[in-house]
Amino acid sequence: ENRPIPEPGPNEVLLRMHSVGICGSDVHYWQHGRIGDFVVKDPMVLGHEASGTVIKAGSGVTHLKPGDRVAIEPGVPREMDEFCKTGRYNLSPTIFFCATPPDDGNLCRYYKHSASYCYKLPDNVTFEEGALIEPLSVGIHACKRAGVTLGSKVFVSGSGPIGLVNVIVAKMMGAAAVVITDLSAIRLQKAKEVGADFTIQVKNETPQEVASKVETLLGCMPEITVECTGVQACIQAGIYATRSGGTLVLVGLGPEMVTVPIVNAAVREVDIRGIFRYCNTWPVAIALLASKRINVKPLVTHRFPLEKALEAFEITKRGEGVKVMLKCDPTDQNP
């Protein structure tokens, strides 16, 4: 709150922040101070699902001006390396990323960011939808990596926010049927609301039993599985469930070492792919939102002013609701 208002550089814009979603990674840093090799060593601002209004543009910025409403892509390459040259800048080892140590995030009143990674929002796309482009991008990137196409049968494991955006995107890309699993009946109901065809509430089934239920509901084994939990048993179920010759995409991050039936995957030619965040997704997401081809509004279940951030984080930590949104601009009531 008492930080000075930053001055944008030549290729940056200064933003008055509006909507910032809370991600599981924000909560994890808050609670544990690290995620894998990313360790919080100094005070760090959280937040990377965000939108705001340009209030000042650097001298070299030509595509944005004060008053423009923008969605912020939080990952900005620091150099034009081999990954940037091939269009996979998310894999650049020196990338800046909001709220990943030591880089500050944007859960604050004023924030400066590279103008090239701020995308103007059409008038019919709200600030909240703009902030939701970040999690939505994970779904777009995962479904592209998975090869979802017309008629695909898809199994999504985990019905948290990332599982839900994968349901939305898979259906948008032409999936004929999507089945989703979770422990929570409330989250599975939300999955139905956003387009899942079938739900399975997992209790104490073995991974093979979960795979069998998926096959029964779809009427066949899915060509594509999108695993959004990182839980060992769920990854195992993903391998068993996926049709021979199909693709399993690992989105959820769990422990570094996981025991999986790798020979089962190998002899059935199940491709296992990873994803790291996303790249080249903001223009796609904005086009989908502006054309009303997808609806992400049901994802937001709680809203808090910035002053009540602690309460918002507590609710996220407890797993209540789906997406908790913080409002950073007290003067603006526009969602």
Side-chain angles (χ1 to χ4, degrees):
E1 280 297 303
N2 300 316
R3 293 154 61 91
I5 296 176
E7 189 66 24
N11 299 311
E12 295 177 325
V13 288
L14 176 64
L15 304 162
R16 185 173 70 238
M17 300 305 297
H18 190 287
S19 296
V20 181
I22 300 177
C23 172
S25 68
D26 293 320
V27 175
H28 203 276
Y29 280 125
W30 169 49
Q31 289 294 298
H32 303 285
R34 68 181 298 156
I35 294 178
D37 294 332
F38 296 107
V39 181
V40 180
K41 293 176 179 166
D42 297 298
M44 180 180 82
V45 178
L46 293 169
H48 59 268
E49 305 176 2
S51 64
T53 304
V54 175
I55 55 173
K56 195 171 187 180
S59 57
V61 178
T62 56
H63 71 291
L64 294 172
K65 63 185 186 305
D68 284 347
R69 302 159 59 253
V70 298
I72 300 165
E73 180 172 359
V76 180
R78 286 187 167 98
E79 56 182 316
M80 179 56 73
D81 60 17
E82 60 186 304
F83 298 104
C84 294
K85 288 175 185 174
T86 55
R88 301 182 74 177
Y89 57 86
N90 57 313
L91 301 179
S92 174
T94 60
I95 195 167
F96 166 92
F97 197 88
C98 293
T100 296
D103 303 331
D104 278 331
N106 43 34
L107 183 50
C108 48
R109 299 258 188 242
Y110 297 96
Y111 173 73
K112 69 173 181 178
H113 199 69
S114 167
S116 296
Y117 292 81
C118 293
Y119 300 82
K120 189 172 177 180
L121 292 173
D123 291 343
N124 68 338
V125 177
T126 66
F127 281 114
E128 247 177 35
E129 289 175 303
L132 289 167
I133 290 174
E134 197 279 340
L136 180 62
S137 288
V138 178
I140 293 171
H141 191 54
C143 287
K144 278 186 173 178
R145 293 268 294 156
V148 178
T149 188
L150 287 172
S152 296
K153 304 286 180 66
V154 180
F155 167 32
V156 177
S157 175
S159 189
I162 296 301
L164 297 177
V165 294
N166 273 284
V167 170
I168 292 169
V169 174
K171 295 292 284 190
M172 172 66 224
M173 290 172 75
V178 176
V179 59
I180 189 166
T181 53
D182 203 86
L183 299 169
S184 162
I186 294 170
R187 291 207 161 188
L188 290 172
Q189 185 54 45
K190 181 64 77 170
K192 276 273 195 191
E193 195 182 321
V194 300
D197 298 281
F198 307 103
T199 61
I200 299 170
Q201 187 174 5
V202 179
K203 295 191 167 66
N204 48 17
E205 294 89 344
T206 66
Q208 290 95 330
E209 287 168 343
V210 172
S212 178
K213 286 190 172 187
V214 168
E215 182 179 5
T216 300
L217 281 175
L218 289 175
C220 61
M221 296 172 79
E223 304 102 320
I224 289 162
T225 298
V226 185
E227 207 300 298
C228 302
T229 71
V231 175
Q232 178 171 284
C234 298
I235 299 171
Q236 293 170 354
I239 290 175
Y240 290 131
T242 307
R243 183 185 308 180
S244 297
T247 303
L248 166 64
V249 175
L250 301 177
V251 183
L253 297 177
E256 186 178 3
M257 290 292 178
V258 179
T259 302
V260 294
I262 201 73
V263 173
N264 177 292
V267 300
R268 296 194 303 109
E269 296 192 5
V270 172
D271 292 347
I272 299 175
R273 294 188 150 203
I275 74 156
F276 186 61
R277 298 171 180 157
Y278 34 67
C279 57
N280 307 303
T281 54
W282 258 254
V284 174
I286 289 171
L288 290 171
L289 291 166
S291 62
K292 303 302 176 191
R293 296 295 302 276
I294 59 170
N295 181 18
V296 293
K297 290 178 181 176
L299 297 177
V300 180
T301 53
H302 296 74
R303 296 172 178 85
F304 291 92
L306 184 57
E307 294 78 8
K308 294 189 176 177
L310 184 58
E311 188 179 339
F313 270 79
E314 292 283 2
I315 280 180
T316 309
K317 179 185 161 190
R318 292 196 296 269
E320 296 175 20
V322 179
K323 180 55 66 179
V324 178
M325 195 67 68
L326 283 154
K327 302 295 186 179
C328 300
D329 184 357
T331 65
D332 195 333
Q333 300 308 307
N334 180 355

